[in-house]
Amino acid sequence: ISISYCFFFVYVWSLIISLFGVTSLFFLARGFVIGQVLMIIFSINYALISYSFSYYGELLTYAGMTLPMAVVSLVSWIRHPYKKTAEVEVDSKLGLKKAVFLAVSAVVVTVIFYFILKALGTANLLPSTFSVLTSYIAATLTAFRNPYFALGYAINDLVLIVLWILATMADLSYLPMTVCFIVFFINDMYGFICWKKMEKRQKEFINN
């Protein structure tokens, strides 16, 4: 991300926010609460950057969904530490009630956002709507402390990579955001691996 800034002399704001976002994923991958704090900061500023390119889907997703869910996740993670450490307790059991809630609410949220985004004349409507769906699922799983939240975000990253490539083709100042989400994808896959290891380690401790 820093290299892309040096080569293309893009906005410092985009660079700093991209670095905030990537840094948050390192902590989230290890199950540390500070990652949620950094994600809140990233969400606010990312929403503003999205607004500057008329990506209203990303604006609404992060300001109206990812940001509030990050706050909810922050509270959830603080309330469920693993053995009073900085690491969060993994909850891999989704359960029927949570699964039904997630499925129904995801459909409702996506449909509502589709019509809102369409009315606002959102650039790249279908990818933006799909981004809403994947973001909502990932954000909800994060609040549930479920390891598969990282896979949800990884899928969302692929959508965002496409969106910001399109934006970069129009204005090179958005290049750090493209690189940011490429790194996001790598880190989210790393995060999923870490959370599965955390899940296994915590279960082994309980069984012993």
Side-chain angles (χ1 to χ4, degrees):
I1 294 171
S2 299
I3 290 173
S4 68
Y5 170 78
C6 293
F7 273 91
F8 294 95
F9 303 102
V10 295
Y11 301 135
V12 176
W13 183 33
S14 296
L15 170 68
I16 294 174
I17 297 309
S18 297
L19 294 178
F20 256 97
V22 170
T23 304
S24 72
L25 292 189
F26 285 116
F27 290 105
L28 292 176
R30 307 303 297 183
F32 294 159
V33 174
I34 185 63
Q36 295 294 354
V37 177
L38 294 177
M39 181 56 67
I40 290 172
I41 297 174
F42 173 78
S43 297
I44 295 172
N45 287 276
Y46 177 73
L48 295 174
I49 293 176
S50 298
Y51 175 76
S52 70
F53 198 73
S54 300
Y55 274 166
Y56 300 119
E58 294 305 295
L59 167 63
L60 293 176
T61 297
Y62 273 79
M65 185 176 65
T66 303
L67 176 59
M69 288 302 292
V71 174
V72 172
S73 297
L74 174 63
V75 175
S76 175
W77 286 26
I78 290 176
R79 293 178 60 187
H80 296 87
Y82 174 65
K83 295 179 62 62
K84 298 182 179 181
T85 65
E87 182 179 291
V88 68
E89 182 182 5
V90 179
D91 185 5
S92 57
K93 296 179 180 179
L94 188 59
L96 180 60
K97 185 177 180 179
K98 287 183 178 180
V100 171
F101 167 78
L102 178 57
V104 173
S105 60
V107 172
V108 172
V109 168
T110 303
V111 171
I112 292 175
F113 267 76
Y114 171 79
F115 287 105
I116 293 176
L117 298 179
K118 185 177 181 179
L120 292 173
T122 302
N124 302 305
L125 178 59
L126 291 181
S128 294
T129 304
F130 186 67
S131 177
V132 170
L133 173 62
T134 53
S135 291
Y136 178 79
I137 292 175
T140 305
L141 290 176
T142 302
F144 289 162
R145 294 173 287 116
N146 187 288
Y148 286 91
F149 82 88
L151 283 186
Y153 276 124
I155 296 173
N156 180 247
D157 293 336
L158 294 176
V159 179
L160 297 181
I161 289 170
V162 173
L163 286 174
W164 288 110
I165 285 177
L166 295 174
T168 302
M169 291 171 63
D171 186 344
L172 278 178
S173 66
Y174 295 106
L175 180 62
M177 295 309 301
T178 302
V179 180
C180 173
F181 283 106
I182 292 175
V183 179
F184 265 40
F185 175 76
I186 296 172
N187 283 359
D188 280 324
M189 293 305 298
Y190 166 72
F192 177 68
I193 295 173
C194 286
W195 272 67
K196 294 302 289 184
K197 289 182 178 179
M198 286 167 53
E199 176 188 7
K200 181 179 180 181
R201 173 166 47 79
Q202 292 181 12
K203 283 184 176 180
E204 287 178 347
F205 179 85
I206 293 176
N207 293 332
N208 292 332

